[in-house]
């Protein structure tokens, strides 16, 4: 009897969610081009989830994202435009997944090599889009591993940069982050953290975990997310972390071709450091 009741409640929950998705789609109005391509049912569910299934709030949030994508054009960024930012491997897609098959981004703030915020954000957005593009079927989220090796007060990430990163992640990629594991942050970071945590909404805040190598609970947390044989020694595993910028650039160039086809763009690539030429695609008007 109880199982039947629970099953019925589950079905009702799914029906309610589907109804909310239809409401949200109706409130957005007619979409076309890349906006229509972006707004899949799964996408709408993520925005509803981020706003606790409040259709009005989810509509406002998604409309802001569509405006942002129309201006920022994340799907048009190509690796040769941001390759310089990636020379030190300060942010890159790992060659392993977590236990749930999620794409893993490794962030190393101690290896910052540039000062222009706009280019840094463009590089980060490119890698977020790439991480999502490479998610296996049925998986919608990615994991972040943050290594504080080499981090100090002199090369600290500016508050403005941290705030913009948080803004982009939680407002334009809601429910895309499964976990952000901050590995062995120094005590100096605590002061920085007290400031930037106020920019986070509660859902994002709950996904940020501090991990310390000599802490038993931290070790169990890492094991719950990763196979230690795949995890680099920098994060308590046994694998070797080796960022090869030339090889990574080659892989990104291959993904660029796939992404261009996915978004319906004809790509005419130029060499590294050059400017690629792309055919125009219909873009939806602002909702």
């Amino acid at each position: 009897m109880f199982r039947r009741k629970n099953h019925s409640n589950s079905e009702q929950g799914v029906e309610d969610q589907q109804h909310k998705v239809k409401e949200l789609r109706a409130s957005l109005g007619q979409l076309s081009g890349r906006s229509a391509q972006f707004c899949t049912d799964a996408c709408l569910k993520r925005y509803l989830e981020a706003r606790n299934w409040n259709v009005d709030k989810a509509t406002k949030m998604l409309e802001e994202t569509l405006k942002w994508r129309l201006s920022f054009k994340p799907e048009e960024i190509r690796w040769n435009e941001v390759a310089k930012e990636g020379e030190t491997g300060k942010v890159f897609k790992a060659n392993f997944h977590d236990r749930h098959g999620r794409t893993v981004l490794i962030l190393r703030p101690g290896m910052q090599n540039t000062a222009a915020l706009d280019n840094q954000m463009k590089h980060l957005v490119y890698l977020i889009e790439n991480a999502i593009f490479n998610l296996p079927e049925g998986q919608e989220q990615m994991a972040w591993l943050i290594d504080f090796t080499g981090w100090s007060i002199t090369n600290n990430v500016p508050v403005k940069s941290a705030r913009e990163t948080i803004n982009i992640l939680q407002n334009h990629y809601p429910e895309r982050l499964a976990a952000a594991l901050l590995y062995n942050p120094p005590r100096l970071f605590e002061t920085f953290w007290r400031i930037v945590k106020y920019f986070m909404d509660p859902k994002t805040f709950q996904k940020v975990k501090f991990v310390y190598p000599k802490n038993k609970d931290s070790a169990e947390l890492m094991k719950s997310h990763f196979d230690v044989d795949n995890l680099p020694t920098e994060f308590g595993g046994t694998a070797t972390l080796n960022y090869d910028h030339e090889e990574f650039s080659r892989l990104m160039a291959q993904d660029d071709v796939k992404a261009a086809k996915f978004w319906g763009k004809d790509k005419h690539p130029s060499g590294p450091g050059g400017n690629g030429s792309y055919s125009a695609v219909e873009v939806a008007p602002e909702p």
Side-chain angles (χ1 to χ4, degrees):
M1 179 175 68
F2 294 107
R3 289 182 180 177
R4 188 176 302 169
K5 184 177 180 180
N6 290 337
H7 182 66
S8 177
N9 289 340
S10 177
E11 287 182 344
Q12 183 63 43
V14 171
E15 289 179 4
D16 289 344
Q17 289 182 6
Q18 291 174 342
H19 181 68
K20 294 278 189 180
V21 169
K22 289 180 180 179
E23 279 190 64
L24 176 54
R25 188 171 295 284
S27 67
L28 290 172
Q30 184 66 39
L31 299 174
S32 61
R34 283 175 286 181
S35 292
Q37 194 173 356
F38 177 76
C39 291
T40 62
D41 283 357
C43 172
L44 269 54
K45 284 182 181 178
R46 287 192 295 271
Y47 280 79
L48 285 163
E49 177 69 28
R51 291 297 179 260
N52 296 315
W53 295 89
N54 182 303
V55 175
D56 290 338
K57 292 181 179 180
T59 300
K60 182 179 179 181
M61 185 185 192
L62 186 46
E63 285 177 346
E64 289 299 319
T65 291
L66 293 177
K67 291 178 184 178
W68 175 79
R69 293 186 72 89
L70 189 66
S71 172
F72 201 93
K73 294 180 172 56
E75 68 278 1
E76 291 189 14
I77 304 171
R78 295 297 177 259
W79 178 249
N80 58 16
E81 301 171 40
V82 296
K84 181 176 176 57
E85 292 287 335
E87 286 178 349
T88 60
K90 64 186 177 188
V91 187
F92 65 97
K93 182 181 68 179
N95 61 356
F96 60 90
H97 295 81
D98 72 359
R99 291 189 183 276
H100 301 280
R102 302 181 184 111
T103 306
V104 178
L105 284 185
I106 293 179
L107 294 83
R108 301 189 287 183
M111 304 192 76
Q112 181 59 263
N113 62 326
T114 61
L117 177 61
D118 289 348
N119 290 337
Q120 291 171 3
M121 291 302 103
K122 190 174 183 180
H123 176 237
L124 179 64
V125 167
Y126 171 87
L127 289 170
I128 290 175
E129 290 275 323
N130 181 266
I132 293 170
F133 187 75
N134 282 283
L135 286 170
E137 187 175 354
Q139 180 55 260
E140 298 187 355
Q141 295 183 308
M142 58 184 162
W144 285 15
L145 276 175
I146 305 174
D147 174 21
F148 283 88
T149 301
W151 185 91
S152 69
I153 200 68
T154 57
N155 62 5
N156 183 21
V157 176
V159 172
K160 184 178 181 181
S161 177
R163 181 173 57 187
E164 186 62 15
T165 298
I166 294 167
N167 171 58
I168 289 173
L169 182 64
Q170 68 187 17
N171 292 330
H172 301 312
Y173 296 95
E175 299 304 311
R176 284 300 195 181
L177 181 69
L181 305 176
L182 283 61
Y183 196 82
N184 201 26
R187 288 189 176 184
L188 283 172
F189 181 77
E190 293 177 8
T191 303
F192 181 74
W193 174 247
R194 290 192 193 103
I195 299 172
V196 300
K197 70 180 182 181
Y198 290 106
F199 303 136
M200 295 183 178
D201 62 35
K203 286 180 177 289
T204 304
F205 181 79
Q206 291 174 1
K207 297 174 182 179
V208 178
K209 306 294 181 184
F210 284 69
V211 180
Y212 299 96
K214 295 182 180 180
N215 182 282
K216 184 178 179 181
D217 291 338
S218 291
E220 291 301 317
L221 177 65
M222 293 299 285
K223 288 180 181 178
S224 70
H225 282 279
F226 301 98
D227 184 337
V228 292
D229 291 335
N230 294 332
L231 199 62
T233 55
E234 288 83 352
F235 298 102
T238 60
T240 301
L241 178 63
N242 181 29
Y243 176 75
D244 185 326
H245 184 62
E246 185 176 339
E247 174 62 16
F248 190 76
S249 296
R250 185 183 67 81
L251 294 174
M252 292 301 97
Q254 291 177 354
D255 281 354
D256 283 351
V257 174
K258 298 174 186 176
K261 290 180 180 178
F262 175 80
W263 289 106
K265 297 171 71 67
D266 295 320
K267 182 184 178 186
H268 305 285
S270 59
N275 293 317
S277 174
Y278 307 94
S279 65
V281 175
E282 179 188 12
V283 180
E286 293 181 4

